[in-house]
Amino acid sequence: MTDQQNPVNLSHALFDRFVLAGTCKDVRQNFSELCRHLQLDAQDYRHFYGKLKEKLNYWNAKELWEKIDKRAAHPDYDQGKPCAKTKCLVLGAGPCGLRTAIELALLGAQVVLLEKRTSFSRNNVLHLWPYTIRDLRNLGAKKFYGKFCSGSLDHISIRQLQLILLKLALILGVEVHTGVTYNGLVEPQASGTGWRALLLPDSHPASSYQFDVFISAGGGRFVPDGFKRKELRGKLAIGITANFVNHRTKAEAQVPEISGVARIYNQKFFRDLQTEMGIDLENIVYYKDDTHYFVMTAKKNSLLKKGVIMQDNANVEQLLAPANVNGEALLNYARDAAEFSTGRKLPNLEFATNHNAEADVAMFDFTCMHRAEYSSMVMERKGKKLLIGLVGDCLVEPFWPLGTGIARGFLAAFDTAWMVRSWGKGTAHMQVLAESFPATCGGPAELVSETHGLVQKGESERPESVLEVWPGALCPDPTLQTQTHRRVHSG
């Protein structure tokens, strides 16, 4: 039969291809083809999901619809009414940006998401806390990635997590644009115009999009103007990540993972590693995912002796500058550590490649971490107010040995969505900020106005290491919900 003779089967096949797509490009292409075939307007965000369900009456999609419908039915989403008139711009298609976009879409907002890259290429593996696993399962993650947290697995590659969340975002009517560079905000120029983004290419359709909420999830290196950052310094800590090709052989499958070995708990292992290989580590983790992923903390003297770092330097930036690192020695160091820690049971260790088609090995400094002093602000120009929020690494950079990155990132996404919900319901702007400023970063909230300048600035008395619990449906774990107040847990 031809496709024209059997359009129903074609729509089913297109949906299956979309669900199974393994790259950002394929996800977007298959989604576009599905929309064209079903004659759906993907920019009709208010009705897109409902029309998709109506036109795609397919048994293989029903379980996914049931999960999404169950989540969307929670009273806090109020059938998408709280943010029905809210227009949001989300910067960054990392896990936190996509997760925030999904929540905003469930609240009824129009959401446009911008991503500078055109592909998802990050092999590094994230540790998932139990509540993040439940949250993703309840959104249908296993439909898109059958191996999601199977058995005792509690981790996923960043790339796979992005693919899951991208598919969900598209289904819920989020407008996603890749290959777009954000260069700042464009203030309203006259009455009747709103806030826009300065983009490259400047002719991009999203350049004309006017919004009243801007969420930055652009990563640790990007924080919008007006936000202050605090620097947290500790003892010198040099991290190394390495990804090796997973050929998925029987021999590889039998090698046990290392969920986290620290020197203090297994001194003999680290002594033997130093004696036999000349490698001196504080800890090491090994996860088996799309790749064989290793992350470790190496001691500086060991890196100097092995020739990885060529010259000692008191300045950490100069110490780890590319010109002072022997790339071949770094590859050997990472491979030797991986081989020793797995008892040399991983056959033919071959480095996976990164987005630059180079061996996916990196050395970085997490002696210094940054966090924003506050998570949100409101700007006003020409009578137009703009709510700005931070999520992900630009809010709080993670301390990776504790596996807090994605856990705190998702909590920040829920808190941000709750803030936008209040904003969309017409809550007074000062009250919106008052609710959000204690969250996550423990710092002041500010209202910036064209005429009044700094209106409010308050210091939080919350602990420095904070994990907030979010009210209602925006807290995905029912056991953590609170009806009347937020509970704070030291992290």
Side-chain angles (χ1 to χ4, degrees), residues 297-337:
T297 307
K299 292 190 176 183
K300 182 180 74 170
N301 287 339
S302 169
L303 294 168
L304 286 166
K305 289 179 181 178
K306 297 289 285 185
V308 177
I309 297 176
M310 293 184 283
Q311 297 290 332
D312 196 2
N313 197 308
N315 183 296
V316 179
E317 288 187 8
Q318 295 180 23
L319 179 73
L320 299 181
N324 197 39
V325 175
N326 184 316
E328 191 62 33
L330 175 60
L331 298 183
N332 291 335
Y333 192 98
R335 183 187 290 107
D336 289 347

Side-chain angles (χ1 to χ4, degrees), residues 228-232 368-373 441-443 464:
K228 298 177 182 178
R229 304 191 82 196
K230 290 193 293 187
E231 182 180 272
L232 306 176
C368 173
M369 293 183 293
H370 294 87
R371 65 193 307 158
E373 289 191 359
C441 53
E464 283 295 323

Side-chain angles (χ1 to χ4, degrees), residues 338-396:
E339 287 182 341
F340 183 90
S341 63
T342 55
R344 296 182 174 83
K345 293 180 181 178
L346 282 177
N348 304 319
L349 278 179
E350 173 189 351
F351 284 108
T353 56
N354 58 23
H355 62 284
N356 291 321
E358 300 170 343
D360 195 356
V361 178
M363 184 165 62
F364 58 96
D365 162 45
F366 62 93
T367 304
C368 173
M369 293 183 293
H370 294 87
R371 65 193 307 158
E373 289 191 359
Y374 41 92
S375 61
S376 57
M377 67 165 62
V378 173
M379 299 182 70
E380 182 176 359
R381 301 288 188 272
K382 305 293 185 183
K384 296 288 186 178
K385 293 183 175 66
L386 177 69
L387 175 63
I388 306 177
L390 307 180
V391 298
D393 289 1
C394 66
L395 177 62
V396 182

